């Protein structure tokens, strides 16, 4: 299990390499949400998502001699960019296995951060087999997207900041809505808040047809999504909660909240109009839940994590 | 003249009512700029622009008994929203005189913040005459958009933050590119930096045909723009530098930088793609100068203030 102390250690390793994102606020969004709503814009994080935190935490924890031969990761895009960026900053090579249908911006950026990108078909090929072969051939250290203690601890630094910022605002009771794929960010935040802000309760948020975490929490066991589903929320279309993340989610989180694609697009448009930020679909499910599922919340205030902003112009124009 | 101490006093009055915006960074933008480039996103500020700082500073400085009857301001939009928001938070009425062709979003928001909006035709009517009459009839305190010591001091708090953030980054020599209309933000930042970060030099940035400050700095006297010009940079289409701001600009700033509308739109698109923020045209002239006028800079690094983000969807889509 990951402990609060692991998050503090990750914070020390990350130092100033991750931006301390502010909490944004607009009275117009409060009115829609029916309560004070604060947004943690991790879309402004370096590489455009919170994933840099976990990637930096993991890569900085690998012993120098091992790290020197390089790292490998598989990711639909945001973890890829975080790992590529952190590897480059550490001066080591990175190989990233990405689905061929990932947003072009994410693939291009990953390459631009200096990584070697290997594409695969996510509906027919086994990414793990591809990754295992490359890792063995080149002696690369695997940095998993969420089921890795160092990664979860890194994402948990978002929770440390939320706790501090909520305290500055005098918020001692709030729902913290977190876009949830494999659960690395969600569990990391929940572990941090349990210790230092126990009145802040994490609620995992997911898009329709990818509500594996919400169903797993209800069933008290890990359940998978039906295969073959598609969603505009590419960043969080993970098959099921992680083996490391789920026990934390199960112990610490309130019920999941499931939002529609239309709600996601409306949340993206409102975030542009009222907060002046660009959120990608997968990063907007928490804000969508805050704005349009207020009846599922039982706290006087709400904090939504906007987890990423790596969205193509076409998709963004659709949201506007 | 406004002194550094006035900015510190404004900071104390503003307290936590203004967001301490972060400094954003992207290696992709560094590459275009040809040097490390940091962006201060005041578009994320409450009400969508830095104007909240000056408005709060001014309104909080009016004696209670005087303030109670209300405030009045004229503005193309961002100052309007700042004054409306700050007046509401102080529990006093606000009347805002706005040009009828200001962006609809800005007019709607000003009303939504609780202000009474009076529209006028900026090409045929005299806004000062309208404002003077209303102020007298209702005993309202005028909050000017830039030629007011309290307002300039409030905008100067951006400079305090830039100095702190540059110090954290180890930047002791940089150009600070500031979108310049009447010069309130530009002079406020310059006054703050002179004292606490003398290696950071302010450069006023303007759009073509509204380069009154650049020409005035060269001529060492206040020159006006030709009347009747139009620009997409509505936030900074001011006729000439202010009487209070110009002496500071003249003493403290480097030469102005003039950018094209095409450069402004490209800067907006790159800010969306690389920083995940929405900047309005007038707020993007500093970033445009950083990206496309590097040959006019003589420092190893550059900091661009993105002063506002209140842009309609249509204009933003044009930039994408």
């Amino acid at each position: 299990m990951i402990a609060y102390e692991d998050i503090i250690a990750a914070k020390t390793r990350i130092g100033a390499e991750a931006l301390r994102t502010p909490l944004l606020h607009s009275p117009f969004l409060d009115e829609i949400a029916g309560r004070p709503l604060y947004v943690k814009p991790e879309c402004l994080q370096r590489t455009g998502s919170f994933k840099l935190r976990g990637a930096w935490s993991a890569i900085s924890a690998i012993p120098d001699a091992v790290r020197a031969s390089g790292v490998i990761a598989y990711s639909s895009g945001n973890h890829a960019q975080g790992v590529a960026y952190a590897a480059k900053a550490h001066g080591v090579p990175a190989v990233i296995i990405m689905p061929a249908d990932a947003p072009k911006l994410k693939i291009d950026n990953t390459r631009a951060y200096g990584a070697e990108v290997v594409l695969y078909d996510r509906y027919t090929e086994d990414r793990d087999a591809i990754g295992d072969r490359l890792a063995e051939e080149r002696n690369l250290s695997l940095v998993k997207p969420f089921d890795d203690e160092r990664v979860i601890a890194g994402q948990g630094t978002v929770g440390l900041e939320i706790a501090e910022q909520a305290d500055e605002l005098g918020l001692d009771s709030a729902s913290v809505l977190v876009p949830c794929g494999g659960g690395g960010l969600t569990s990391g935040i929940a572990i941090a808040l349990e210790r230092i802000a126990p009145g802040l309760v994490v609620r995992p948020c997911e898009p329709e047809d990818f509500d594996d975490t919400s169903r797993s929490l209800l069933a008290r066991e890990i359940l998978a999504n039906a295969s073959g589903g598609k969603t505009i929320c590419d960043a969080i279309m993970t098959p099921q909660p992680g083996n490391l993340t789920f026990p934390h989610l199960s112990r610490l989180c309130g019920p999941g909240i499931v939002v529609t694609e239309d709600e996601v697009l409306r949340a993206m448009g409102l975030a542009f109009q009222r907060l002046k930020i660009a959120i990608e679909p997968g990063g907007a499910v928490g804000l969508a839940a805050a704005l349009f599922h207020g009846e599922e919340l039982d706290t006087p205030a709400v904090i939504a994590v906007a987890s990423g902003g790596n969205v193509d112009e076409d998709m963004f124009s659709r949201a506007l």
Side-chain angles (χ1 to χ4, degrees), chain A residues 259-277:
Chain A
V259 302
T260 67
E261 293 202 346
D262 179 61
E263 289 168 342
V264 164
L265 290 168
R266 282 158 61 205
M268 290 169 65
L270 285 162
F272 160 78
Q273 189 183 21
R274 299 306 183 187
L275 302 175
K276 319 303 174 189
I277 55 174

Side-chain angles (χ1 to χ4, degrees), chain A residues 247-311:
Chain A
H248 293 286
L249 300 176
S250 185
R251 188 170 65 81
L252 297 171
C253 294
I257 302 175
V258 181
V259 302
T260 67
E261 293 202 346
D262 179 61
E263 289 168 342
V264 164
L265 290 168
R266 282 158 61 205
M268 290 169 65
L270 285 162
F272 160 78
Q273 189 183 21
R274 299 306 183 187
L275 302 175
K276 319 303 174 189
I277 55 174
I279 316 181
E280 63 184 287
V285 294
L287 179 59
L291 292 170
F292 308 121
H293 290 256
E295 75 288 356
E296 296 177 48
L297 304 178
D298 53 6
T299 52
V302 60
I303 298 167
V305 177
S307 53
N310 291 312
V311 52

Side-chain angles (χ1 to χ4, degrees), chain A residues 25-27 29-38 175 289-290 293-303:
Chain A
H25 174 254
S26 160
L29 298 186
D30 289 358
E31 199 173 314
I32 299 171
R35 47 172 63 81
L37 162 60
Y38 298 89
S175 301
H293 290 256
E295 75 288 356
E296 296 177 48
L297 304 178
D298 53 6
T299 52
V302 60
I303 298 167

Side-chain angles (χ1 to χ4, degrees), chain A residues 80-104:
Chain A
Q81 291 176 74
V83 169
Y85 181 101
K88 187 176 185 186
H90 281 84
V92 303
V95 176
I96 313 286
I97 320 281
M98 299 184 77
D101 63 346
K104 186 170 175 303

Side-chain angles (χ1 to χ4, degrees), chain A residues 220-233:
Chain A
R220 298 178 178 276
E221 63 175 327
I222 293 178
L223 300 178
N225 293 310
S227 62
K230 296 198 178 187
T231 172
I232 57 172
C233 301

Side-chain angles (χ1 to χ4, degrees), chain A residues 2 17 27 33 44 66 73 80 120 142 164 171 174 201 209 227 250 254 263 284 291 296 316:
Chain A
I2 297 96
E17 300 296 340
L44 306 180
V66 179
Y120 77 101
L142 176 64
E164 288 169 9
L171 291 179
V201 176
D209 298 335
S227 62
S250 185
E263 289 168 342
L291 292 170
E296 296 177 48
F316 198 72

